[in-house]
Amino acid sequence: MSLVAEAFVSQIAGKVPFIHVGNQVVSELGPIVQFVKAKGHSLSDGLDEVQKAEMKAYMELVNNMLLTAELYLQWCDEATVGEITHARYGSPYPWPLNHILAYQKQWEIKRKMKAIGWGKKTLDQVLEDVDQCCQALSQRLGTQPYFFNKQPTELDALVFGHLYTILTTQLTNDELSEKVKNYSNLLAFCRRIEQHYFEDRGKGRLS
Amino acid sequence: MAAPLELSCWGGGWGLPSVHSESLVVMAYAKFSGAPLKVNVIDNTWRGSRGDVPILTTEDNVVSQPAKILNFLRKQKYNADYELSAKQGADTLAYIALLEEKLLPAVLHTFWVESDNYFTVTKPWFASQIPFPLSLILPGRMSRGALNRILLTRGQPPLYHLREVEAQIYRDAKECLNLLSNRLGTSQFFFGNTPSTLDAYVFGFLAPLYKVRFPKIQLQEHLKQLSNLCRFCDDILSSYFRISLGDGWLRWIVYYFKVGHVLYIGRG
């Protein structure tokens, strides 16, 4: 579980996640999960068929709403793009490659947004969608420690990865992280996972 | 609530009230929640040229996109999710996301991208519903929109190749159908005995896939193996969309009277 979450967090932070196991190197979240499963450490083995369906559905919800909202904020909100994203995305490359690649990526993301119907959304509408998604996650989690009660699953890793990134990444406005902070059980969930699995990293970044 | 609610949407065929998934979702939700919709089917006299049907029109509002239309209906007190718990409401959102991410690409591909299906069934049908010259333009535009959506959400930049994603999207769709079948089990609807938003969405996405007769039918064959999903669609069609024979007959009588009336007045 910690492996998967760590891989996911570093992916969102901009680096490609990879794990070394003996001689093999596996990269990207999806294949990492499959690889770990093939080695006999699947997290969702204890779930029945209906629960597995639910887990997959919630993972799609997170991908559909949270990931898209993060991309929107990074690439379609002019203030954020100008101040943060452009510079960060182009930083590994020399001039003029840094500008060209950043513009190309922005164009690509905008095309995708338009294709799925997010092209005309305002920032407020996107934040409302994030709120709806967080509300659904909060209701599903309830007072349990993990989404499927006692054992963490891929869903917990995915949700933690996204929420942690939202809560700890500095952007031009804090509205996105404020939306998440409205839900105390989600905040407690993130803190609990950070303390439990990442405590050897020193002081937690979630206050 | 007294304002008339009018829905513009694509028409029906193959035993369905509409062959267009999004239109069907809205029509089903309206039936489930008791909203009195006046359905205006797009036909050859239609003047509008927007491709983003279904559209709900009231006296003061024009609402498009199924999610927004359903939200609007809920605010007007036509709520099919009245009896759902908070967790079931959350599950609804999650399953709708699953449908849009895993099933929709393959449905779009079956209707709009697979050449045999598109040229022999989809394109002729849609072209027959709208006036010339729109019939030459709109189907092509819808097809390109579908391809775009598939490639941009599933393909790898910068060169988007359809062949790379085709196998994957059908695999995902079949898995999604299996998950839905497992979740439905032997129940009549997804949450108990009354239909809700999720039932409307599942019906809207599955019914056209189930009923429209295509040459290339791999996804349809898979769906037909899942008998509880087929039963689900058939039950909704027979309970909520009963197409009575009486209607058509009455329409002809009225038509004859109207024609006779006009001719008579014209003479005098």
Side-chain angles (χ1 to χ4, degrees):
Chain A
M1 154 74 190
S2 65
L3 207 60
V4 174
E6 200 173 306
F8 194 78
V9 169
S10 70
Q11 179 180 32
I12 296 296
K15 293 174 282 187
V16 177
F18 52 86
I19 55 174
H20 286 282
V21 179
N23 291 341
Q24 295 171 295
V25 177
V26 187
S27 63
E28 298 284 329
L29 179 70
I32 288 178
V33 170
Q34 295 282 63
F35 180 82
V36 168
K37 196 169 175 174
K39 292 287 176 190
H41 299 293
S42 172
L43 293 172
S44 48
D45 274 345
L47 303 181
D48 65 36
E49 288 305 318
V50 173
Q51 286 176 315
K52 278 195 182 146
E54 255 184 51
M55 186 184 85
K56 296 219 160 117
Y58 275 92
M59 285 174 79
E60 288 310 325
L61 180 65
V62 171
N63 278 329
N64 204 334
M65 294 250 194
L66 284 186
L67 181 58
T68 317
E70 283 159 21
L71 286 175
Y72 180 94
L73 207 60
Q74 281 185 355
W75 293 103
C76 302
D77 176 42
E78 293 307 325
T80 316
V81 171
E83 280 186 39
I84 299 174
T85 319
H86 229 98
R88 188 179 58 85
Y89 189 78
S91 63
Y93 312 104
W95 186 91
L97 211 54
N98 55 349
H99 286 302
I100 297 174
L101 289 175
Y103 276 117
Q104 185 195 40
K105 180 78 177 177
Q106 186 180 18
W107 177 72
E108 225 173 79
I109 301 285
K110 282 192 163 165
R111 261 181 85 195
K112 181 175 168 174
M113 293 291 159
K114 196 160 163 236
I116 57 174
W118 281 53
K120 299 210 180 97
K121 284 201 180 180
T122 62
L123 185 60
D124 284 333
Q125 285 170 330
V126 170
L127 290 172
E128 220 182 278
D129 282 345
V130 170
D131 190 51
Q132 226 189 11
C133 179
C134 289
Q135 192 183 37
L137 289 173
S138 176
Q139 279 163 354
R140 181 67 185 81
L141 182 64
T143 51
Q144 298 171 136
Y146 301 107
F147 280 93
F148 289 92
N149 209 7
K150 305 231 168 34
Q151 288 302 321
T153 58
E154 286 91 331
L155 176 62
D156 299 278
L158 189 67
V159 173
F160 172 72
H162 277 290
L163 293 185
Y164 186 82
T165 311
I166 290 175
L167 290 167
T168 55
T169 308
Q170 293 281 21
L171 290 175
T172 47
N173 64 18
D174 287 328
E175 288 182 36
L176 196 56
S177 60
E178 288 306 314
K179 287 285 177 200
V180 177
K181 284 181 187 163
N182 279 335
Y183 298 96
S184 56
N185 64 345
L186 292 182
L187 211 52
F189 169 81
C190 289
R191 264 193 218 119
R192 194 183 320 121
I193 292 188
E194 189 191 24
Q195 279 163 5
H196 202 105
Y197 291 97
F198 295 93
E199 58 198 0
D200 53 346
R201 288 271 179 101
K203 213 161 47 145
R205 290 171 69 189
L206 293 172
S207 54
Chain B
M1 261 207 270
L5 301 165
E6 286 190 26
L7 182 73
S8 302
C9 62
W10 291 105
W14 294 278
L16 296 170
S18 174
V19 304
H20 183 232
S21 279
E22 296 188 337
S23 305
L24 208 50
V25 167
V26 177
M27 287 165 96
Y29 184 84
K31 292 280 183 184
F32 297 160
S33 61
L37 277 193
K38 184 165 169 290
V39 176
N40 292 332
V41 162
I42 295 169
D43 61 17
N44 277 301
T45 63
W46 183 53
R47 294 279 167 238
S49 63
R50 302 165 70 174
D52 51 350
V53 152
I55 299 174
L56 184 73
T57 329
T58 63
E59 271 174 17
D60 324 301
N61 288 300
V62 175
V63 191
S64 64
Q65 294 187 351
K68 289 191 193 151
I69 297 177
L70 263 55
N71 258 348
F72 181 83
L73 288 175
R74 268 182 222 115
K75 289 193 181 124
Q76 304 288 317
K77 314 281 190 232
Y78 297 112
N79 188 2
D81 297 343
Y82 186 67
E83 292 183 7
L84 294 188
S85 69
K87 182 185 172 298
Q88 286 173 327
D91 284 353
T92 299
L93 274 185
Y95 276 101
I96 292 175
L98 186 70
L99 287 173
E100 287 182 350
E101 289 291 311
K102 297 286 184 184
L103 187 58
L104 183 60
V107 171
L108 287 177
H109 188 276
T110 303
F111 273 74
W112 295 99
V113 181
E114 172 62 66
S115 337
D116 285 350
N117 295 350
Y118 173 62
F119 288 108
T120 55
V121 178
T122 318
K123 186 173 176 191
W125 190 89
F126 277 86
S128 71
Q129 303 288 305
I130 43 184
F132 180 88
L134 212 59
S135 54
L136 296 181
I137 307 170
L138 198 57
R141 201 196 297 167
M142 290 169 83
S143 171
R144 276 190 297 280
L147 181 61
N148 227 11
R149 186 175 172 141
I150 294 172
L151 289 180
L152 288 174
T153 51
R154 297 315 206 82
Q156 294 302 315
L159 302 166
Y160 296 94
H161 282 307
L162 185 61
R163 212 163 301 128
E164 284 168 13
V165 300
E166 260 171 0
Q168 182 65 43
I169 60 177
Y170 276 100
R171 255 200 304 273
D172 285 343
K174 287 173 187 169
E175 197 198 324
C176 180
L177 290 176
N178 292 345
L179 290 176
L180 287 174
S181 180
N182 280 340
R183 174 65 184 74
L184 182 63
T186 52
S187 315
Q188 200 186 3
F189 299 110
F190 279 90
F191 297 117
N193 293 325
T194 46
S196 60
T197 302
L198 181 58
D199 300 285
Y201 268 90
V202 175
F203 175 71
F205 279 67
L206 291 190
L209 195 61
Y210 175 34
K211 294 286 187 185
V212 177
R213 290 210 193 91
F214 286 117
K216 288 268 167 71
I217 49 169
Q218 56 156 322
L219 195 56
Q220 198 176 56
E221 285 300 311
H222 188 94
L223 174 57
K224 286 187 176 161
Q225 300 299 312
L226 300 166
S227 55
N228 63 346
L229 292 180
C230 299
R231 188 252 313 146
F232 171 79
C233 292
D234 286 328
D235 279 351
I236 291 181
L237 280 172
S238 60
S239 312
Y240 292 92
F241 291 103
R242 223 170 288 130
I243 303 169
S244 55
L245 293 169
D247 273 0
W249 183 75
L250 208 58
R251 218 174 287 151
W252 276 108
I253 299 279
V254 172
Y255 176 70
Y256 266 105
F257 270 113
K258 274 195 177 151
V259 169
H261 189 68
V262 164
L263 286 177
Y264 180 77
I265 297 289
R267 270 165 139 202

